[in-house]
């Protein structure tokens, strides 16, 4: 049976896409066939896998609306056993779907039913809001990973997220399980320590043991279009995601007798195999801004001002200074006269 896991938080900037890509990569390195479904119109999942978003013609928008079957919108990535249903900006139009439409929250679930059992895991990368896109993801998923940054507003956001999941459980009669993954953690900071302690005390076993640290290699790998597990697997961020992925496997496969250590070893064996693969690079072409000329904006050439214009400016400036001084002196004399 395919395990479908949504990665969601109402708050942006907490590492949802980074977590989706690295957990998916770790699952694939561990010998599983993985599909990532990007439900965020920003299309960051494609960029994070080194795919040029300008080449994407169709994706999750067509899938959700039922215009295309799953097989027609799946892209094979160069990572073994990792496939992607990319997002396009058209996906944002779904946020205007009327509640009068027939069960719009079930559209993604219905569209994923024809995956043919070829995927062991489907990870859904959600947008940073709770609208129809996130609602579709939660109804389609069996489990939810909630990335949480160790900062002051995290606790309030988590309570909202917890309520949203409970609403789905009741209104959709959907047994939805979730786990919290602490991200962007810096345990040298007192605030991060306090938030981490408070969340673990309240949510207990619902929080993964692993925390993802603030790690330059994670940001660097995203810029290069690679998961950190391939770009820098032995960095603190890479190892944290390997450990988190082992916990995901233990959580998602409760009847599997393997230990966390077994999963960790299996994932690292797969990662090492990837690193020996000469067809895989630790970094793809970085994202570049479009050249103004090629983008059709036209490169503007700035000509230096003529000498006459410069002299005219100097004269105007000098006259302005003289006028300002004269006004100041006049006001001073008038003030003295009043005395």
């Amino acid at each position: 049976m395919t395990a479908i896991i949504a990665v969601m938080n109402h708050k942006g900037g907490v590492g949802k896409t980074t977590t989706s890509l690295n957990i998916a990569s770790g699952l694939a390195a561990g010998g599983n066939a993985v599909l990532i479904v990007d439900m965020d119109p920003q299309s960051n999942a494609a960029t994070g896998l080194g795919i040029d978003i300008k080449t994407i013609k169709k994706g999750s928008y067509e899938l959700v609306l039922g215009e295309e079957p799953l097989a027609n919108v799946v892209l094979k990535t160069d990572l073994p056993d990792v496939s992607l249903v990319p997002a396009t900006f058209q996906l944002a139009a779904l946020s205007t779907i009327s509640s009068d439409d027939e069960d719009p929250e079930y559209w993604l679930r219905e569209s994923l039913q024809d995956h043919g059992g070829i995927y062991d895991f489907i990870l859904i990368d959600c947008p940073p809001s709770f609208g129809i896109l996130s609602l579709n993801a939660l109804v389609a998923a069996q489990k939810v990973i909630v990335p949480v940054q160790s900062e002051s507003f995290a606790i309030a956001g988590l309570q909202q997220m917890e309520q949203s999941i409970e609403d789905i459980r009741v209104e959709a009669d959907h047994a939805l399980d979730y786990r919290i993954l602490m991200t962007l953690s810096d345990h040298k900071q007192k605030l991060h320590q306090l938030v981490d302690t408070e969340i673990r005390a309240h949510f207990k076993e619902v929080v993964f043991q692993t925390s993802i640290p603030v790690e330059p290699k994670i940001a660097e790998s995203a810029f290069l279009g690679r998961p950190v597990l391939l770009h820098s697997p032995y960095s603190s961020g890479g190892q944290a995601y390997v450990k988190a992925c082992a916990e995901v496997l233990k959580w998602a496969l409760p009847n599997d007798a393997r230990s966390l250590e077994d999963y960790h070893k299996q994932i690292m064996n797969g990662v090492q195999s990837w690193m020996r693969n000469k067809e895989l690079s630790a970094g793809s072409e970085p994202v570049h801004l479009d050249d103004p000329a090629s983008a059709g904006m036209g490169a503007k050439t700035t000509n230096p001002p003529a000498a006459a214009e410069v002299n005219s400016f100097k004269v105007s400036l000098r006259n302005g200074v003289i006028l300002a001084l004269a006004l100041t002196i006049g006001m001073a004399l008038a003030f003295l006269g009043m005395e």
Side-chain angles (χ1 to χ4, degrees), residues 13-266:
V14 297
K16 289 187 297 297
T17 300
T18 299
T19 295
S20 297
L21 298 182
N22 280 286
I23 294 297
S25 300
L27 293 172
N32 299 284
V34 183
L35 175 67
I36 304 167
V37 178
D38 191 357
M39 291 292 285
D40 188 343
Q42 297 178 84
S43 306
N44 289 334
T47 304
L49 291 171
I51 298 171
D52 186 353
I53 61 174
K54 293 190 289 294
T55 65
I56 298 172
K57 304 303 180 184
K58 53 190 175 183
S60 51
Y61 174 79
E62 290 77 10
L63 177 68
V64 172
L65 289 181
E67 294 179 358
E68 294 283 355
L70 179 62
N72 288 1
V73 296
V74 171
L75 298 179
K76 294 288 186 182
T77 74
D78 62 347
L79 297 180
D81 293 320
V82 178
S83 301
L84 170 70
V85 176
T88 60
F89 193 72
Q90 289 175 298
L91 196 60
L94 291 183
S95 61
T96 62
I97 291 293
S98 170
S99 58
D100 295 334
D101 288 289
E102 187 176 351
D103 298 328
E105 67 272 19
Y106 290 93
W107 289 352
L108 179 60
R109 177 198 276 187
E110 293 167 358
S111 298
L112 290 177
Q113 288 176 349
D114 63 350
H115 62 78
I118 61 175
Y119 302 108
D120 300 303
F121 288 89
I122 296 177
L123 269 70
I124 308 174
D125 186 25
C126 299
S129 62
F130 191 72
I132 191 64
L133 299 178
S134 295
L135 184 58
N136 263 267
L138 292 181
V139 172
Q142 302 133 5
K143 299 179 183 296
V144 185
I145 296 174
V146 185
V148 176
Q149 185 180 359
S150 300
E151 49 89 32
S152 54
F153 297 113
I155 297 173
L158 259 181
Q159 290 174 333
Q160 294 174 359
M161 189 70 212
E162 186 180 28
Q163 185 58 54
S164 298
I165 292 174
E166 185 58 32
D167 290 343
I168 296 294
R169 287 171 172 168
V170 174
E171 295 178 17
D173 192 22
H174 185 36
L176 194 59
D177 192 15
Y178 74 98
R179 290 291 184 274
I180 296 166
L181 177 64
M182 304 302 297
T183 60
L184 298 168
S185 296
D186 183 356
H187 288 288
K188 295 179 182 178
Q189 294 190 33
K190 185 66 174 178
L191 173 61
H192 286 207
Q193 295 176 23
L194 292 172
V195 172
D196 188 277
T197 300
E198 179 66 22
I199 288 176
R200 291 182 185 279
H202 179 79
F203 291 96
K204 298 180 173 61
E205 71 279 355
V206 173
V207 187
F208 285 132
Q209 297 173 15
T210 306
S211 295
I212 308 301
V214 176
E215 164 63 75
K217 289 295 183 182
I218 295 178
E220 184 180 299
S221 67
F223 179 73
L224 294 174
R226 277 291 179 259
V228 72
L229 266 68
L230 178 60
H231 174 66
S232 188
Y234 294 102
S235 65
S236 60
Q239 283 299 297
Y241 268 117
V242 171
K243 292 177 181 177
C245 192
E247 289 194 69
V248 170
L249 284 165
K250 191 68 177 174
W251 168 49
L253 305 173
N255 297 324
D256 195 314
R258 283 174 290 181
S259 65
L260 288 173
E261 292 73 19
D262 294 333
Y263 285 129
H264 187 282
K265 183 178 180 179
Q266 185 177 6

